[in-house]
Amino acid sequence: IEIMLQGLTDPAPFADQLEPVTAPYVRVSMEEACQGTPLERPVRVYADGIFDMFHSGHARALMQAKGLFPNTHLIVGVCSDDLTHNLKGFTVMNEDERYDTVSHCRYVDEIVRNAPWTLTPEFLADHRIDFVAHDDYPYSSAGSDDVYKHIKAAGMFAPTQRTEGISTSDIITRIVRDYDVYARRNLQRGYTAKELNVSFINEKKYHLQERVDKVKKRVKDVEERSKEFVQKVETKSIDLIQKWEEKSREFIANFLQMFGPEGALKHMLKEGKGRMLQAISPRQSPNSSPTRERSPSPPPSFRLPFFTKTSPPSSPHHLSGADRISEDDD
């Protein structure tokens, strides 16, 4: 368990830093390897490569190599800068960076630095290799149609599957294709034009493009905010219209209920009219009540204004001739 935990937490060791094994080297067959070997004798599988700009395609190839057999010790060979630049091309990462990157892959148990381009029997014996893992495509290089041809003939080749759509060449192609974008990106992050190998004119052009992009971004932000504002206004307008429609229906219903043909106002007017008619019309006496006979009142008496003396009335017989007034005078 301690060995397993150490393998998960520590980087893979370099082969030239390990103690040499003095026991005789005896290869295991494919059948023995597939059936499973004792824990103290794992199947030693070798996989080599450049591993420049280490990516998921590299990791998947090493994962397949590690899982070829139930008990596998994976040895990974990484070629040096001189050998790679002479036989394949210039690398982005130097050899120390590539060694260190591969050593931190969890599938790797051992690293061989300055690995050979073509595997010799001496190299296979020195590192006690049982099988060599690589994809099955012919790898033509160094004047050979397939550098693994003699490994396949010896029955030591264990094929793996290549991950399509990802490779170091693909990544470099993306960078070259979008060179202006990455150059502007690094200029923004503080790199100088000299460090990026950018001319004075291109530097000014990139700065101008950066300003133009900022203006475009601001315009785009304003457009998006305007759209959001318009959407909010439309939403609120729709809400207001719906509320207005609801209120208008309610108002119309209340108006009809009050002033309609059979509305409350008509009934109120009818009731008021009835009460007014009842109030102004005289009450009729009932037929059974007795009628009172009124005695004829005496005719009103008239007195002339010059008769100021108050005296008890006297009969006409006591009046003198001067005091009498004829009916004609009256």
Side-chain angles (χ1 to χ4, degrees):
I1 295 176
E2 291 180 358
I3 296 174
M4 292 178 64
L5 291 175
Q6 184 179 4
L8 292 174
T9 56
D10 298 334
F14 297 112
D16 53 3
Q17 295 176 348
L18 298 174
E19 295 182 1
V21 180
T22 58
Y25 165 63
V26 179
R27 275 192 64 244
V28 296
S29 65
M30 180 67 73
E31 184 178 356
E32 293 173 341
C34 291
Q35 290 178 356
T37 57
L39 291 176
E40 64 275 8
R41 176 57 175 93
V43 180
R44 295 174 66 84
V45 177
Y46 178 81
D48 58 359
I50 311 302
F51 302 105
D52 189 21
M53 301 180 69
F54 192 87
H55 51 75
S56 61
H58 295 141
R60 287 178 177 274
L62 298 178
M63 178 184 68
Q64 293 179 58
K66 180 71 174 179
L68 284 172
F69 307 107
N71 184 19
T72 302
H73 181 86
L74 181 59
I75 308 166
V76 179
V78 182
C79 300
S80 64
D81 287 344
D82 292 338
L83 189 63
T84 304
H85 297 170
N86 290 331
L87 297 177
K88 188 173 183 179
F90 193 75
T91 58
V92 177
M93 303 169 64
N94 60 46
E95 58 186 26
D96 292 330
E97 292 170 339
R98 294 185 284 113
Y99 297 154
D100 185 65
T101 302
V102 176
S103 68
H104 286 83
C105 179
R106 63 175 178 169
Y107 309 114
V108 180
D109 299 305
E110 185 179 336
I111 302 290
V112 176
R113 293 183 286 194
N114 193 17
W117 201 262
T118 303
L119 303 179
T120 62
E122 295 77 17
F123 178 84
L124 297 173
D126 290 342
H127 293 277
R128 308 169 71 84
I129 295 171
D130 295 314
F131 297 97
V132 177
H134 201 274
D135 61 74
D136 204 13
Y137 293 94
Y139 194 86
S140 58
S141 180
S144 174
D145 295 336
D146 188 2
V147 295
Y148 298 106
K149 186 176 181 179
H150 63 289
I151 302 296
K152 295 175 182 177
M156 297 177 63
F157 188 80
T160 58
Q161 297 296 322
R162 181 182 296 181
T163 302
E164 298 296 336
I166 182 68
S167 67
T168 303
S169 299
D170 291 338
I171 296 174
I172 294 175
T173 300
R174 298 177 199 172
I175 296 173
V176 172
R177 180 188 60 202
D178 300 325
Y179 169 77
D180 289 349
V181 176
Y182 293 113
R184 288 165 52 190
R185 169 182 177 272
N186 282 9
L187 283 172
Q188 274 186 320
R189 298 196 174 189
Y191 289 88
T192 63
K194 185 177 180 180
E195 290 174 329
L196 297 173
N197 196 24
V198 173
S199 66
F200 176 80
I201 296 176
N202 285 336
E203 181 185 6
K204 299 304 177 184
K205 181 185 74 173
Y206 294 149
H207 285 308
L208 178 60
Q209 289 176 347
E210 190 64 30
R211 294 193 188 99
V212 172
D213 289 345
K214 286 182 179 179
V215 172
K216 288 181 179 179
K217 185 178 179 181
R218 291 177 182 175
V219 172
K220 187 176 180 181
D221 292 341
V222 171
E223 289 179 352
E224 292 177 355
R225 292 177 183 175
S226 301
K227 289 180 181 178
E228 292 178 359
F229 177 76
V230 171
Q231 290 176 355
K232 290 181 180 179
V233 171
E234 289 179 353
T235 304
K236 290 184 178 180
S237 301
I238 293 172
D239 293 339
L240 289 174
I241 291 172
Q242 291 177 349
K243 290 180 180 179
W244 182 84
E245 289 179 350
E246 293 175 0
K247 293 295 182 181
S248 62
R249 293 193 191 100
E250 183 179 353
F251 175 79
I252 293 171
N254 293 335
F255 182 85
L256 293 176
Q257 186 177 3
M258 177 62 70
F259 301 102
E262 299 297 329
L265 182 62
K266 183 176 181 180
H267 294 290
M268 291 172 61
L269 291 175
K270 285 183 178 180
E271 292 179 359
K273 182 178 181 182
R275 291 177 183 176
M276 290 177 64
L277 292 175
Q278 186 177 3
I280 63 176
S281 55
R283 292 184 180 180
Q284 296 180 356
S285 300
N287 297 328
S288 61
S289 61
T291 59
R292 295 180 180 179
E293 294 181 356
R294 296 182 180 180
S295 58
S297 57
S301 60
F302 298 94
R303 182 176 294 174
L304 294 175
F306 48 83
F307 292 105
T308 57
K309 182 177 179 180
T310 59
S311 60
S314 58
S315 61
H317 299 282
H318 292 89
L319 294 175
S320 60
D323 294 331
R324 295 176 185 175
I325 302 173
S326 62
E327 290 180 1
D328 298 333
D329 294 336
D330 292 336

